[in-house]
Amino acid sequence: MIVSYFPGCTLKTKAQDLDMYARKCAEVLGVTLEEIDNWQCCGGVFTTVNNDAVTKLSSVRALDFARSKTQPLVSVCSACHNVLKQTNHAVQTDKAFADKVNLYMGNESPYDGSTQVYHYLEMLRDLVGFDAIKEKVVNPLKGKKIAAYYGCLLLRPSGVMQMDDPENPQIFEDLIRALGAEPVIYAMRNECCGGYVTMESPEFAAKKSKAITDNAASFGADMIVTACPLCKYNLEKNGNSVPVVYFTELLAEALGVKEDTQNA
Amino acid sequence: MHNDNTRLTQEIIRASGVNPSKCMKCGKCSATCPAYDEMEYHPHQFVYMVESGDLEPLMNSKSLYKCLSCFACIDRCPRGVEPAKLVEAVRFAVIRQQGADHMTPDDVPAKLNEDIPQQAIVSAFRKYRK
Ligand code: SF4
Ligand code: SF4
């Protein structure tokens, strides 16, 4: 299976591990991630006002590229996925916006919102299947108690994202189980780490992040996993001693390609 | 002045796509808001203050820059009001004015450290600068 892949700016810089392990694991699972030509940064957060088309153009271009290949569009970073999916929804539901961006891009066939947008986790669940992953696990993560941190952007706004139940999600936990580890369910797994406010008010972000890592630790977590570089930064910078790891690294470990990747 | 204010209120409501009259003032949005302690005006107050055209205090408030875009108030409002969209529309009404950016490229170097991901910078610019 070949899918269009939108890595995003941070996966090319501070979060290269997130990207490298995603590619390596996809290969093992029989998926080719075909990086989009000339992709541009998604901007990190979706602009909710409906009169700001320009900030959404890079996403529309990525969506349109995937359509031209008739492939689903996959990304790994929670923020990229959120922006791409919300932009796709805007094209589907806001005709004035769709007309404006299509006019601007001057496409022969206007982009119509038809691309299927998947987060890598959804790709694992819906296109590969957790049972198929389980069969490929060579190094089950036995005895590890792992707390999945969803944060905001994978789940909300739930009407648009439609990944999982926004208040009681299970996609991450199902993956953790497929890898042989034990998921830790804790109250704050879908609360905000502080996000970009860490730029101008690190103390405020610290309060938010610390509450999350302390909550995970109080439920016995040995490790926190996340899909988002900014969540990882905030939780690591401000949290307790529980390590914060990208979910793709965990997957690589279970699939037995972590050392490979490091030596390559 | 009064007309200006009415026009701006209408523009903000239109750009947000929010219908503030759906609000039943239950306060759930503010109760769930992770920025509550940092805000002078809370999400439910944005809803009724925009509705009544009481824009000036909101436009001058630091609350505009405390919203984390976590979408919790959007998801958890029992009436589908989506208060964060109003917070954003008011913030845009401010930062779109000449010279009203809340963060400029010159501010960035002092805020960086070795680990901060690019995502933090681009996201902050999306919310603080036009
Ligand atoms: S989106 Fe903003 S206003 Fe709404 S709950 Fe989150 S931080 Fe509060
Ligand atoms: S949660 Fe919704 S209905 Fe309740 S006060 Fe907030 S905006 Fe109004």
Side-chain angles (χ1 to χ4, degrees):
Chain A
M1 178 182 15
I2 305 174
V3 300
S4 290
Y5 177 52
F6 183 96
C9 64
T10 308
L11 276 75
K12 292 287 179 185
T13 46
K14 296 284 180 193
Q16 289 178 21
D17 284 4
L18 182 57
D19 174 65
M20 169 182 75
Y21 291 127
R23 290 173 192 264
K24 199 84 192 164
C25 296
E27 227 170 83
V28 175
L29 298 169
V31 181
T32 306
L33 302 179
E34 186 177 316
E35 187 167 330
I36 299 183
D37 293 342
N38 296 320
W39 57 267
Q40 295 169 308
C41 172
C42 72
V45 258
F46 182 72
T47 304
T48 60
V49 291
N50 58 23
N51 58 3
D52 204 62
V54 68
T55 56
K56 295 159 189 162
L57 270 171
S58 64
S59 295
V60 179
R61 288 202 176 98
L63 292 157
D64 190 39
F65 177 93
R67 180 191 57 159
S68 73
K69 302 258 172 180
T70 47
Q71 291 168 357
L73 178 59
V74 174
S75 50
V76 186
C77 168
S78 310
C80 296
H81 173 65
N82 188 283
V83 175
L84 292 166
K85 187 116 187 195
Q86 291 213 64
T87 303
N88 207 34
H89 184 257
V91 172
Q92 292 164 354
T93 54
D94 181 347
K95 187 165 183 310
F97 166 68
D99 287 349
K100 187 179 262 178
V101 288
N102 278 311
L103 192 65
Y104 186 88
M105 296 195 309
N107 271 6
E108 264 171 43
S109 69
Y111 180 64
D112 54 359
S114 60
T115 295
Q116 299 288 317
V117 185
Y118 289 87
H119 186 262
Y120 194 95
L121 278 170
E122 293 173 304
M123 178 189 87
L124 296 178
R125 179 189 63 192
D126 303 336
L127 301 181
V128 178
F130 288 143
D131 287 340
I133 295 174
K134 203 170 170 180
E135 282 169 22
K136 298 247 159 101
V137 169
V138 296
N139 174 28
L141 309 172
K142 284 232 160 54
K144 278 202 182 139
K145 298 183 75 178
I146 300 175
Y149 177 58
Y150 288 89
C152 313
L153 298 176
L154 289 175
L155 300 168
R156 293 190 292 265
S158 56
V160 178
M161 300 312 290
Q162 300 194 345
M163 176 185 271
D164 209 337
D165 178 337
E167 303 303 344
N168 190 19
Q170 61 178 56
I171 181 169
F172 239 138
E173 286 76 12
D174 287 346
L175 174 67
I176 290 168
R177 269 185 219 103
L179 304 183
E182 183 191 336
V184 174
I185 313 284
Y186 61 110
M188 297 199 69
R189 64 200 169 119
N190 62 345
E191 300 300 332
C192 182
C193 70
Y196 52 79
V197 92
T198 201
M199 285 288 287
E200 68 159 14
S201 183
E203 326 73 51
F204 173 20
K207 247 191 270 172
K208 297 290 121 188
S209 303
K210 182 83 166 56
I212 290 159
T213 56
D214 284 354
N215 185 237
S218 76
F219 281 81
D222 308 323
M223 181 194 278
I224 296 172
V225 288
T226 175
C228 177
L230 184 51
C231 295
K232 184 169 190 276
Y233 169 82
N234 276 331
L235 297 183
E236 271 177 345
K237 201 85 191 159
N238 309 304
N240 50 33
S241 58
V242 180
V244 186
V245 173
Y246 288 129
F247 78 101
T248 54
E249 181 176 342
L250 198 73
L251 181 62
E253 193 182 331
L255 295 177
V257 290
K258 192 171 158 187
E259 264 64 47
D260 268 345
T261 321
Q262 278 167 344
N263 298 335
Chain B
M1 187 63 215
H2 175 73
N3 279 341
D4 267 11
N5 191 55
T6 310
R7 209 178 59 219
L8 187 57
T9 304
Q10 281 166 355
E11 254 173 51
I12 285 172
I13 291 177
R14 193 173 38 75
S16 71
V18 168
N19 175 4
S21 65
K22 286 200 297 189
C23 172
M24 61 179 182
K25 302 185 171 54
C26 67
K28 195 170 176 190
C29 50
S30 294
T32 199
C33 176
Y36 184 92
D37 291 345
E38 309 284 326
M39 284 175 161
E40 159 192 18
Y41 299 106
H42 303 106
H44 75 285
Q45 288 167 297
F46 270 84
V47 178
Y48 72 70
M49 287 170 78
V50 170
E51 187 180 19
S52 58
D54 196 6
L55 290 180
E56 213 181 295
L58 297 178
M59 292 181 74
N60 291 316
S61 173
K62 291 272 170 282
S63 303
L64 292 176
Y65 311 104
K66 302 299 182 187
C67 168
L68 306 166
S69 301
C70 76
F71 304 115
C73 59
I74 289 185
D75 244 48
R76 293 170 184 160
C77 165
R79 301 275 298 157
V81 176
E82 309 193 315
K85 293 187 173 176
L86 280 178
V87 178
E88 174 133 317
V90 176
R91 184 175 56 241
F92 270 50
V94 174
I95 63 176
R96 276 176 172 164
Q97 299 171 85
Q98 194 73 27
D101 286 339
H102 181 66
M103 186 183 282
T104 71
D106 291 341
D107 299 332
V108 171
K111 296 178 191 299
L112 296 183
N113 63 48
E114 213 166 280
D115 304 317
I116 205 155
Q118 281 64 24
Q119 185 191 351
I121 307 165
V122 295
S123 304
F125 272 144
R126 267 290 158 85
K127 294 292 155 174
Y128 300 152
R129 179 163 199 264
K130 263 292 138 200

